[in-house]
Amino acid sequence: MRWTVHSERDLYRDQWVHVASADVELPDGRHLDHRIIRTAAPGAGLAVVSDNKVLLIWRHRFITDTWGWEIPHGSIRPGEDPADAAAREAEEETGWRPERPIRPLVYSQPSPGLMTSEHHIFTANAATHVGPPKDSFESDKVEWVPLTDVPELINKKQIVAGTTLVALLYLLAGHPATG
């Protein structure tokens, strides 16, 4: 059931994203003109959980014009360790410095039928407040949200971002961090 790519052509490319069109042959011999979105860098996120509360940011996503709670996450810089990237993003976006150890939680490919995006999600058990968020444009507020509130926030569509959903549902299902 493997799909075969016969050719590919660029549609758009910049420093963040590369969009291509691929001539894809399905197992039954039909061809599709399929779009591929390649992201420039993998992402890293961090679910900091302390006293049964998780550190979240409340932010607006202009593409969907929606608001929601998210774990801090962002791009991994070239040569940067994914766990270090997750810690850096958490501190920049929240003003809270995660305490070590930072452990792998889950790996996700948010939409593998369309894009190459991959997210390395980690967890930590504590953080120290070091000041206001460096990236204050990332969110309206930063809060420690009780894990017991997460299912209701999902039901209210206040947690909808895929990476955050995967991380928090994985934690709620009782899966321990790996490593």
Side-chain angles (χ1 to χ4, degrees):
M1 297 298 293
R2 186 179 184 104
W3 294 17
T4 304
V5 178
H6 289 285
S7 66
E8 191 175 305
R9 65 184 171 91
D10 286 353
L11 298 176
Y12 177 81
R13 183 188 298 255
D14 67 15
Q15 68 185 23
W16 301 106
V17 68
H18 171 205
V19 181
S21 175
D23 173 18
V24 180
E25 183 179 348
L26 302 179
D28 66 4
R30 290 182 294 146
H31 283 251
L32 294 177
D33 181 26
H34 200 289
R35 299 300 180 263
I36 302 168
I37 302 170
R38 291 194 175 88
T39 55
L46 186 65
V48 181
V49 179
S50 180
D51 296 324
N52 289 316
K53 294 180 180 177
V54 62
L55 183 62
L56 298 177
I57 58 176
W58 178 254
R59 68 172 306 162
H60 180 256
R61 291 294 186 176
F62 75 93
I63 295 169
T64 55
D65 193 22
T66 57
W67 289 87
W69 290 107
E70 296 183 18
I71 62 169
H73 57 89
S75 295
I76 301 171
R77 294 175 180 159
E80 187 176 30
D81 176 77
D84 292 340
R88 175 184 50 76
E89 288 288 343
E91 184 173 335
E92 289 173 358
E93 293 181 7
T94 69
W96 288 82
R97 179 173 296 140
E99 296 178 13
R100 305 282 176 171
I102 295 173
R103 297 168 314 281
L105 178 63
V106 65
Y107 169 83
S108 173
Q109 295 176 353
S111 189
L114 182 63
M115 66 177 57
T116 62
S117 182
E118 57 181 325
H119 297 174
H120 302 268
I121 309 303
F122 297 85
T123 188
N125 292 333
T128 302
H129 190 256
V130 294
K134 179 180 174 185
D135 292 343
S136 60
F137 60 88
E138 294 276 3
S139 66
D140 249 21
K141 57 186 169 181
V142 175
E143 289 188 15
W144 289 90
V145 175
L147 280 171
T148 55
D149 290 356
V150 167
E152 182 59 25
L153 293 171
I154 292 170
N155 288 338
K156 290 180 176 179
K157 296 182 181 169
Q158 291 183 3
I159 297 177
V160 297
T163 300
T164 298
L165 283 166
V166 167
L168 296 180
L169 291 172
Y170 202 72
L171 283 169
L172 287 174
H175 292 283
T178 59

